[in-house]
Amino acid sequence: MKTLLLVGQLLILFYFAALNLLYTVLAYFGLKTVVENTRTATPTALKALLESDAYRPISILVPAYNEERSIVSCVRSFLTLNFPELEVIVVSDGSKDRTVETLIEAYALIEIPQTFRRSVPTKKIKRMFRSATWPNLFVLEKENGGKADALNAAVNVSRYPLVCAVDADSLLDGEALLRASRLFAEDESVVAVGATIRALNGAELHDGKVTKLGLPTGWLERCQVVEYARAFLIGRAGWNRLDAVLIVSGAFGVFRRTAILEVGAWDTTTVGEDMEIIVRLHKHFRSAGRQYRILMSPDPVCWTEVPSDAGTLRRQRSRWQRGLFETLWRHRDMMMNPRYGKLGLIAFPYFLFFEALSPLIEVFGWLFLPLSALFGVLSWDYALAFTIVALLYGVLLSQLAVGIEALLFARYSTLNERLILILAAFVESMGYRQMLVYDRFMAMFTVWTQRGQWGAMKRAGIPATRAADGTPP
Amino acid sequence: MWRSRGDILFGVVILLVLAQEAVGFVGITWAFALSTLHRGGRDTPWWILVAVLVMALAAMLLLVAYMIFFHLWSEAQDARRTRLMREWAEVWAQALTTEAPVLPARFPSEATQALLRLGDALTGQGHARVRELARRSGIEAAILKKLRSRRVPARMEALEVIALGRLEGGFDGALIEMKSSHPGLSMMGARACARTLAAVESQALRVERTMAFVQALSASRLSEGAMRECLLLTEEVAPEVIASILANPPVSELVLSAAVETVGHLQIRECGSAILPLLARGPELRAAVLRAVARLRTVPADLAPALLAMLDDPTEFVRAHAARVAALTPSDAVLAKLWERLGDASWWVRRAAAQSLLEMGNPGREQLARAAKDHPDRFAREAAGIASGTLSMAEAA
């Protein structure tokens, strides 16, 4: 028993070492992604894309469920993006509130015949509308089928070669579509592009655009600002450098429409549909032996409202954990499979051991302490030092992310905010993360019992703002 | 969206943190091993653990200090940069109107940016004057020197300036980068070449550089979309570039496809007939030719017989494009062929055929109405009915 406990302690040490070292290496690679992206996605490049007419038009797919409070502002923000040719397709997925009615009033919607090809089966579409004032706006009212089903309905209606899946509470940076479209225009093998997601809480908006960035007042939200910086500017940017992107956020992802249809579009039986479709794209193109790329660009930025109360946050993380497990289990044949290259040999094991199972290992790590003490194999000096170092290294990683975030032009601009963010990196690693570890740990036992369930998400909603010329939204 | 200063130093900081973590873990593992060998007694070398903790704290302090320093420094740099850009914009505007301007010996990077922005806002003689200033001031020479840097980000910055300023002296260097295995460098090199080519005034030089550009394009690993973007950027000299491509058949299909698309996008009517021989090539090229013709909105006389044959093409998307182009050349033979295509196996072809009949005026509309009632194929009746507005998709289903 003593040997077992000692081996357990050693494994936890090595696990912790591997996690931190790998993440720091990802930070370096993430920075390299940022550095190169800065030099390639220049104003000249974007201007050349526009002048040369070489961009690809985009259909923005907006699944909405009970979004009457913010849907009008949200749609307006999409319609006024800096992009020459786009259409916005809003899908009310069985909303019980006045989402559709609100849109009808705001955008002078007229019901039209449903003349589109049903490439992907979905729940029944009850009505289809087109705006009399914005000819590139379409609205579908359908039976409830979930976010994935709503996205699939929107894909059926879409006319353009690129589709952009967003959340109804997402706000896109003005040039987000241009920056994403550039990647598709310059490389035909690109099938999906993800972006950096940043917290909208605390920002000032005008005409559906973020005009001034400000830190949220709540520490829960501040911790999420740091967490998102770490996840996107280190984690995903780093994986992009290794050409092993396994997830594109559901809040903003641009896809080649033909690729989406080839794999059968989004899976309606999982809550992790954003990761699941990316993994399926990888499998599909690799199996077919076709050249393809899935990218995460640090440049196009999407703003989203992060949960401001603990209940919603914990439900959200529980759902993410379940979605992660569902996807990993569903595609378990990729694990350590050399046929999938770096994805199978590095990315998949990483997501399993260092993302999915990390709550389990952390909880067992804490349990090891009293057990080891009971059997007399615990060195208190070592245990205390290890715990402090573990916490400090967690803070270090978060600080690295805050450091990369400082390279952005659109960053938290005052020194006071910078110092608060640095402090938030401490709070995030000492308390916030541990709270979420518990929920993620419990989520592991509900993967099969709560399959496909999203839970209730409470949001304040994007405030309706007047347009620059004073007209109401 | 990102600052281009401070990233190198931050990279060094990350590597230092990585090194500190690696040493720290070695230390902790060593401490653990020692404590295990002494069976959990109080023999754990405390000084190892203290050293690891101190190193971790030191790394954290370094990181915090760096972030505060960078924030304050970059805020000051942004303000300085804005001021310098404004000042140098005035200097360059003055120099443009002076016959022999007296220029300082050295220029900050803001001076280069200000000059290039000014040049970007001007055309013709104004832009030529800006390029001359860039040459006389030594800015061009400095950029060409930067292009020879071993650092990839530095070469990218140089290529960006060459593209923005259309600096003729940068063409040869950019051409070399086109052949780079680094996709970012290759794309930026191609873009720089294209924009620079558009600014060359000497006919002989332009011909020579056009051929070199086309050869480099064929040898590069750029995608068709990237090639198309570059060809579109050649602007006024695009007809010469396209003619050079079409006159040299050994170029790759990607280049040919990009060239054909450019014909349509830039409305290069003089190349409208020159692209027709490509109809004998693969389906992708055939479709590209049809798209170009559709954009030109003019069907060359030579195309009419081939168009009828392409309406029977074995490839679906070729038939769809041919059906679209058919709207531009109404005739009894075309009307009859579109009637057949209304019953095509492909939904896209049926839809294109119906749309074309709708665009062909009265003869087409009559044909469509007849098809909606009398076509022997059910799907053809549906396609015709939907296009003519007599049937909704829900009813068709």
Side-chain angles (χ1 to χ4, degrees):
Chain A
M1 186 63 181
K2 286 184 182 179
T3 311
L4 201 65
L5 286 169
L6 283 171
V7 168
Q9 286 180 36
L10 193 63
L11 285 175
I12 288 170
L13 169 63
F14 285 156
Y15 175 88
F16 173 72
L19 175 63
N20 277 272
L21 287 170
L22 186 58
Y23 227 88
T24 310
V25 167
L26 282 176
Y28 183 71
F29 285 141
L31 182 67
K32 287 197 81 135
T33 297
V34 163
V35 165
E36 279 204 10
N37 216 77
T38 309
R39 272 83 178 169
T40 53
T42 60
T44 310
L46 298 182
K47 196 167 161 236
L49 184 69
L50 277 176
E51 283 176 354
S52 64
D53 217 19
Y55 57 85
R56 297 284 197 274
I58 296 180
S59 303
I60 303 179
L61 318 178
V62 189
Y65 179 73
N66 292 351
E67 302 282 354
E68 66 171 327
R69 288 178 69 183
S70 61
I71 192 67
V72 172
S73 305
C74 168
V75 169
R76 189 189 179 91
S77 73
F78 294 138
L79 289 169
T80 52
L81 284 169
N82 177 22
F83 197 76
E85 194 173 351
L86 62 83
E87 62 179 3
V88 177
I89 305 168
V90 181
V91 181
S92 171
D93 188 49
S95 297
K96 295 186 172 65
D97 63 0
R98 298 187 73 250
T99 299
V100 175
E101 288 75 15
T102 308
L103 285 169
I104 290 173
E105 288 158 14
Y107 293 103
L109 297 182
I110 305 165
E111 190 171 347
I112 58 172
Q114 297 177 31
T115 53
F116 55 87
R117 189 181 189 190
R118 282 168 171 74
S119 306
V120 185
T122 66
K123 288 279 171 82
K124 188 180 171 201
I125 311 289
K126 295 178 192 170
R127 292 188 290 177
M128 181 171 173
F129 301 88
R130 186 173 197 163
S131 168
T133 48
W134 294 86
N136 56 337
L137 170 62
F138 298 89
V139 175
L140 297 180
E141 187 182 19
K142 66 182 278 289
E143 285 179 2
N144 180 259
K147 181 181 173 185
D149 193 66
L151 284 171
N152 292 343
V155 159
N156 283 339
V157 174
S158 65
R159 300 175 293 166
Y160 291 145
L162 299 182
V163 295
C164 172
V166 296
D167 283 343
D169 59 352
S170 301
L171 276 186
L172 302 185
D173 180 81
E175 288 184 336
L177 291 186
L178 207 53
R179 289 173 183 277
S181 177
R182 176 187 72 88
L183 296 168
F184 287 92
E186 289 178 3
D187 189 347
E188 295 292 328
S189 66
V190 172
V191 298
V193 170
T196 298
I197 311 296
R198 300 184 75 196
L200 183 60
N201 310 47
E204 282 178 21
L205 304 178
H206 186 74
D207 201 20
K209 306 257 186 305
V210 174
T211 49
K212 189 170 183 291
L213 194 55
L215 270 182
T217 50
W219 279 95
L220 204 64
E221 296 148 281
R222 288 171 176 176
C223 289
Q224 288 175 79
V225 169
V226 173
E227 197 185 4
Y228 276 48
R230 197 179 62 240
F232 288 93
L233 302 180
I234 292 183
R236 296 193 196 176
W239 285 115
N240 180 70
R241 188 79 185 173
L242 294 171
D243 213 10
V245 174
L246 266 192
I247 178 169
V248 161
S249 175
F252 177 71
V254 186
F255 304 86
R256 213 175 276 279
R257 187 176 181 273
T258 48
I260 289 290
L261 292 178
E262 274 183 46
V263 298
W266 281 272
D267 188 332
T268 57
T269 61
T270 174
V271 292
E273 80 288 334
D274 47 1
M275 182 176 180
E276 200 280 331
I277 196 167
I278 295 298
V279 175
R280 204 150 24 96
L281 282 167
H282 278 297
K283 276 178 110 170
H284 172 77
F285 283 92
R286 277 187 177 263
S287 303
R290 287 159 61 185
Q291 200 182 0
Y292 76 103
R293 291 175 75 200
I294 293 177
L295 304 175
M296 185 275 167
S297 173
D299 249 359
V301 166
C302 169
W303 305 92
T304 192
E305 190 189 343
V306 301
S308 53
D309 66 285
T312 305
L313 174 66
R314 293 166 74 173
R315 278 193 295 279
Q316 182 192 62
R317 297 315 162 87
S318 172
R319 174 168 52 81
W320 288 3
Q321 185 75 3
R322 283 186 282 120
L324 176 61
F325 263 106
E326 282 174 5
T327 302
L328 291 175
W329 177 253
R330 192 170 297 203
H331 299 285
R332 58 192 181 277
D333 58 314
M334 289 176 74
M335 180 66 65
M336 300 307 291
N337 188 337
R339 197 168 142 221
Y340 296 102
K342 274 178 281 192
L343 288 168
L345 297 175
I346 303 176
F348 230 76
Y350 170 86
F351 272 87
L352 174 65
F353 293 111
F354 296 119
E355 295 281 348
L357 293 178
S358 68
L360 183 73
I361 292 169
E362 198 157 333
V363 166
F364 273 116
W366 287 110
L367 287 176
F368 259 81
L369 278 177
L371 274 175
S372 299
L374 197 66
F375 283 90
V377 292
L378 179 71
S379 161
W380 285 103
D381 298 342
Y382 164 78
L384 184 65
F386 175 75
T387 305
I388 295 173
V389 166
L391 290 171
L392 285 179
Y393 281 8
V395 173
L396 263 178
L397 285 177
S398 298
Q399 301 284 23
L400 286 178
V402 172
I404 296 181
E405 193 269 346
L407 290 170
L408 278 165
F409 276 112
R411 67 183 183 189
Y412 301 100
S413 54
T414 67
L415 182 62
N416 199 40
E417 284 175 327
R418 188 65 32 198
L419 291 171
I420 290 174
L421 262 186
I422 291 172
L423 187 58
F426 279 87
V427 175
E428 193 248 344
S429 291
M430 300 189 191
Y432 169 85
R433 205 171 54 79
Q434 286 72 20
M435 172 186 78
L436 295 180
V437 161
Y438 171 76
D439 290 297
R440 291 175 61 207
F441 176 72
M442 296 308 292
M444 291 166 58
F445 302 103
T446 58
V447 174
W448 278 271
T449 55
Q450 286 188 31
R451 210 166 162 183
Q453 291 179 33
W454 276 62
M457 296 286 131
K458 194 166 71 179
R459 283 197 291 267
I462 302 168
T465 55
R466 287 184 176 271
D469 61 359
T471 55
Chain B
M1 297 192 75
W2 295 86
R3 288 172 167 77
S4 58
R5 292 181 186 183
D7 45 17
I8 297 171
L9 189 55
F10 195 66
V12 171
V13 169
I14 293 177
L15 289 174
L16 283 174
V17 168
L18 183 62
Q20 170 269 315
E21 280 184 0
V23 170
F25 283 123
V26 166
I28 287 188
T29 308
W30 185 17
F32 176 78
L34 286 176
S35 75
T36 306
L37 286 172
H38 289 110
R39 297 293 178 189
R42 290 205 170 267
D43 293 320
T44 309
W46 60 269
W47 56 268
I48 300 176
L49 299 175
V50 168
V52 170
L53 276 172
V54 166
M55 275 173 43
L57 284 168
M60 193 165 306
L61 279 172
L62 169 70
L63 204 40
V64 170
Y66 172 82
M67 281 193 284
I68 293 172
F69 159 75
F70 180 77
H71 184 91
L72 293 171
W73 174 80
S74 57
E75 290 285 301
Q77 282 293 314
D78 287 347
R80 177 180 168 274
R81 185 179 162 79
T82 306
R83 179 180 53 80
L84 280 176
M85 291 281 288
R86 203 170 42 241
E87 287 171 7
W88 276 100
E90 288 170 14
V91 167
W92 292 123
Q94 184 81 15
L96 276 178
T97 54
T98 308
E99 192 61 39
V102 176
L103 301 166
R106 298 182 69 172
F107 300 88
S109 62
E110 289 79 10
T112 307
Q113 288 300 317
L115 179 63
L116 294 173
R117 280 195 191 177
L118 191 60
D120 205 37
L122 300 172
T123 55
Q125 282 300 315
H127 198 276
R129 184 92 174 100
V130 165
R131 293 199 303 275
E132 187 201 325
L133 270 177
R135 226 175 6 254
R136 287 185 53 200
S137 62
I139 284 177
E140 187 177 288
I143 293 301
L144 295 184
K145 187 178 172 192
K146 197 172 183 182
L147 192 57
R148 293 191 291 273
S149 165
R150 290 175 65 180
R151 285 184 52 242
V152 168
R155 300 209 313 265
M156 283 179 166
E157 286 168 9
L159 287 169
E160 166 72 4
V161 170
I162 292 169
L164 189 59
R166 301 176 193 257
L167 304 178
E168 281 187 51
F171 181 85
D172 291 334
L175 200 69
I176 293 171
E177 294 298 344
M178 267 183 78
K179 297 165 197 163
S180 168
S181 57
H182 190 292
L185 281 173
S186 181
M187 181 70 213
M188 293 183 83
R191 198 181 287 129
C193 282
R195 283 181 66 100
T196 311
L197 199 57
V200 173
E201 289 169 2
S202 155
Q203 173 73 11
L205 186 61
R206 201 162 60 230
V207 167
E208 182 193 325
R209 286 188 169 179
T210 297
M211 290 192 61
F213 177 58
V214 169
Q215 279 172 9
L217 214 53
S218 293
S220 73
R221 296 178 206 185
L222 293 172
S223 68
E224 192 255 333
M227 289 187 193
R228 181 153 40 108
E229 183 187 325
C230 294
L231 289 175
L232 289 166
L233 287 175
T234 54
E235 295 172 358
E236 300 90 25
V237 303
E240 294 172 43
V241 178
I242 303 297
S244 177
I245 290 172
L246 295 176
N248 293 288
V251 296
S252 73
E253 283 227 352
L254 282 181
V255 178
L256 281 172
S257 181
V260 170
E261 297 284 359
T262 306
V263 167
H265 276 288
L266 292 182
Q267 302 280 302
I268 308 174
R269 294 183 187 283
E270 53 265 46
C271 293
S273 294
I275 61 176
L276 295 184
L278 296 175
L279 289 171
R281 302 284 284 261
E284 293 285 350
L285 269 175
R286 292 203 293 277
V289 170
L290 290 169
R291 279 195 296 272
V293 169
R295 287 197 177 98
L296 291 173
R297 304 295 298 171
T298 312
V299 178
D302 306 349
L303 179 58
L307 185 63
L308 288 174
M310 278 188 290
L311 282 165
D312 288 327
D313 196 284
T315 309
E316 175 204 3
F317 56 81
V318 175
R319 293 200 305 277
H321 285 299
R324 284 193 198 101
V325 170
L328 299 171
T329 174
S331 69
D332 289 340
V334 167
L335 280 170
K337 257 303 171 214
L338 287 178
W339 170 276
E340 282 179 38
R341 291 282 69 81
L342 281 173
D344 195 280
S346 161
W347 182 87
W348 295 105
V349 177
R350 294 199 299 272
R351 188 180 176 202
Q355 285 297 127
S356 286
L357 284 170
L358 209 57
E359 288 170 27
M360 284 167 80
N362 282 336
R365 287 173 201 273
E366 283 166 13
Q367 185 83 314
L368 205 59
R370 217 170 19 249
K373 239 175 55 175
D374 300 329
H375 201 290
D377 186 289
R378 173 173 85 95
F379 296 103
R381 290 199 299 275
E382 279 172 10
I386 291 168
S388 59
T390 59
L391 197 67
S392 77
M393 189 71 175
E395 286 170 316

